[in-house]
Amino acid sequence: MLRPLALLLSALTALLCAAAVAVVLLPPPSWEFWQYGLLVLEFALLPAAAAALGVLLALAGRAAHPRAAAVLAAANAVALAAALVPPASTWWAARQAGAPVSLGGYADGLATSADREPRTLVYASPGGEDLEMDVWRPRESGGEPLPVVVNVHGGAEDLPQSLLPRWDTWLADRGHVVFEVDYRFFPDGDWRAPVADVRCALGRIRETAADHGGDPGRIVLTGQSAGGLLALLAAYSPAGDIEPSCPVEHVPVDAVAAWYSVADGTADAPPYPWRLRRSPLAAELDGESERMVGGDTAQYAAMSPLLHVSPDSPPTLLITAGHDLFLAPEDNRRLAARLARAGVEHRLVEIPWAEHMFDLNWGGLASQWARHELGGFLDRHTG
């Protein structure tokens, strides 16, 4: 009785692992499908464990049905190998880069909650719309002013400014005052509005940083996805190119860091990755881009950070995801090449098999690597 049951369970693990491989590798038919793929990929060791269990179950049931057991053992073994490729690739690449990744906190949950709440303030009201920022301070701090990190979240209009607060508390407890800023999410045809909001936030933060224990003379700007695009534009664009959306002075930042953020909107920009080109999400994203920019190719080029690079651009950290549905790695490679030609200090980190928004998994190998890179970058430019 137990041997047929073992084969049945082995078949179940094989089916589940096949489904996991499908959501990671196939073009997503919906946003929910992509979200499942993100979770599967960033927690790939869990389906790997299920596949390993499936191999053992198949072997345990081989006396009942030898041929079926052999097929199920092989299927689970293939699934096990496939599930191990992403974490093994990331582990190897991180070690080659000197990043101390480990399995100790791999299943340590998501980054969507924190051990405390921020202080939330309204920093401006352009057009009558209140824009907020969250202030995260260290749990314990001395009397010296701390360097400031200003982060611009990605995502969509209805998401909170502190999208992944566990990263904020980590940054704060490393010795920073962290400001998470909201912005107008690309009003129709006006991509400059959110950049103006980020510059407004930078001005307000410099004016009030001391009130929160921050040093107004040490400010680093960071961002993810669309927020990374805004961070790069706010950091690279000349002072008079895009005026702040509130009456503040222009604030040059000491450095800028961007995660999985587009840098090239020119006519010869890299195409969408293969999975997105074959997904209905591509048409939806094209429509949203046209709404934000107005469909003008000149405006797409104007909002390309790589065209704003100059020898005066601040030191830059770029973190890209090798399995990003939305962005080909070549995009950030082009920006890195442009920074190199301009003589700007920069570092490009490509994390193989990481998906867009990989930092959702707090303990994931990609997140561990990113924290190592970000921590060192901040130490060099705010110390």
Side-chain angles (χ1 to χ4, degrees), residues 242-333:
I242 302 175
E243 295 292 342
S245 58
C246 61
V248 295
E249 295 182 358
H250 172 68
V251 177
V253 296
D254 295 298
V256 60
W259 286 254
Y260 43 83
S261 303
V262 65
D264 187 356
T266 62
D268 64 342
Y272 284 148
W274 173 85
R275 288 184 301 144
L276 183 56
R277 293 200 304 271
R278 287 157 178 79
S279 167
L281 299 182
E284 185 176 336
L285 290 174
D286 285 339
E288 182 66 5
S289 296
E290 184 172 348
R291 178 196 67 77
M292 294 188 298
V293 184
D296 187 334
T297 55
Q299 292 302 311
Y300 282 112
M303 67 183 296
S304 301
L306 67 84
L307 295 187
H308 295 276
V309 170
S310 75
D312 296 325
S313 296
T316 301
L317 172 64
L318 302 171
I319 301 177
T320 65
H323 192 65
D324 195 321
L325 173 67
F326 309 103
L327 188 66
E330 178 61 25
D331 178 281
N332 275 210
R333 291 173 192 164

Side-chain angles (χ1 to χ4, degrees), residues 3-376:
R3 288 169 181 169
L5 178 60
L7 292 180
L8 179 62
L9 293 175
S10 179
L12 180 60
T13 61
L15 288 173
L16 290 175
C17 289
V21 171
V23 297
V24 169
L25 296 182
L26 296 181
S30 66
W31 288 107
E32 290 76 16
F33 192 96
W34 170 74
Q35 290 168 353
Y36 295 145
L38 165 65
L39 292 173
V40 168
L41 183 57
E42 298 309 327
F43 291 94
L45 288 179
L46 300 183
L53 177 61
V55 172
L56 295 176
L57 289 168
L59 295 177
R62 66 185 181 276
H65 297 282
R67 184 173 297 179
V71 171
L72 290 173
N76 278 284
V78 170
L80 173 61
L84 287 177
V85 167
S89 299
T90 302
W91 178 286
W92 175 255
R95 289 291 185 172
Q96 292 296 104
V101 297
S102 73
L103 298 181
Y106 182 80
D108 202 17
L110 303 179
T112 52
S113 61
D115 60 0
R116 55 190 180 272
E117 296 295 323
R119 181 181 181 187
T120 301
L121 306 169
V122 174
Y123 72 86
S125 301
E129 179 181 348
D130 287 347
L131 298 177
E132 296 180 337
M133 61 183 177
D134 290 342
V135 186
W136 299 86
R137 299 187 59 182
R139 183 172 294 281
E140 298 179 4
S141 61
E144 293 296 323
L146 300 174
V148 170
V149 175
V150 180
N151 188 66
V152 188
H153 70 86
E157 187 172 11
D158 57 348
L159 293 176
Q161 54 266 23
S162 294
L163 185 59
L164 300 175
R166 196 164 179 180
W167 285 82
D168 297 306
T169 56
W170 172 76
L171 284 168
D173 290 339
R174 284 189 84 256
H176 304 85
V177 179
V178 182
F179 294 82
E180 284 275 1
V181 300
D182 198 10
Y183 53 90
R184 290 170 291 173
F185 192 77
F186 298 93
D188 292 355
D190 186 10
W191 62 267
R192 289 178 173 81
V195 184
D197 292 340
V198 173
R199 288 191 156 175
C200 167
L202 287 169
R204 295 295 191 210
I205 289 166
R206 186 166 69 173
E207 292 173 352
T208 62
D211 297 335
H212 304 287
D215 182 350
R218 292 184 291 169
I219 298 178
V220 172
L221 184 59
T222 67
Q224 302 80 34
S225 192
L229 168 65
L230 299 178
L232 292 171
L233 287 170
Y236 290 170
S237 300
D241 188 25
I242 302 175
E243 295 292 342
S245 58
C246 61
V248 295
E249 295 182 358
H250 172 68
V251 177
V253 296
D254 295 298
V256 60
W259 286 254
Y260 43 83
S261 303
V262 65
D264 187 356
T266 62
D268 64 342
Y272 284 148
W274 173 85
R275 288 184 301 144
L276 183 56
R277 293 200 304 271
R278 287 157 178 79
S279 167
L281 299 182
E284 185 176 336
L285 290 174
D286 285 339
E288 182 66 5
S289 296
E290 184 172 348
R291 178 196 67 77
M292 294 188 298
V293 184
D296 187 334
T297 55
Q299 292 302 311
Y300 282 112
M303 67 183 296
S304 301
L306 67 84
L307 295 187
H308 295 276
V309 170
S310 75
D312 296 325
S313 296
T316 301
L317 172 64
L318 302 171
I319 301 177
T320 65
H323 192 65
D324 195 321
L325 173 67
F326 309 103
L327 188 66
E330 178 61 25
D331 178 281
N332 275 210
R333 291 173 192 164
R334 292 187 180 192
L335 176 55
R338 185 66 62 95
L339 291 166
R341 289 196 295 271
V344 177
E345 179 186 344
H346 67 283
R347 178 163 173 75
L348 171 63
V349 179
E350 295 187 14
I351 303 180
W353 282 103
E355 175 61 281
H356 198 87
M357 207 174 172
F358 66 83
D359 42 347
L360 175 70
N361 177 7
W362 173 254
L365 300 179
S367 289
Q368 292 181 45
W369 186 356
R371 283 197 293 277
H372 170 77
E373 296 289 349
L374 180 60

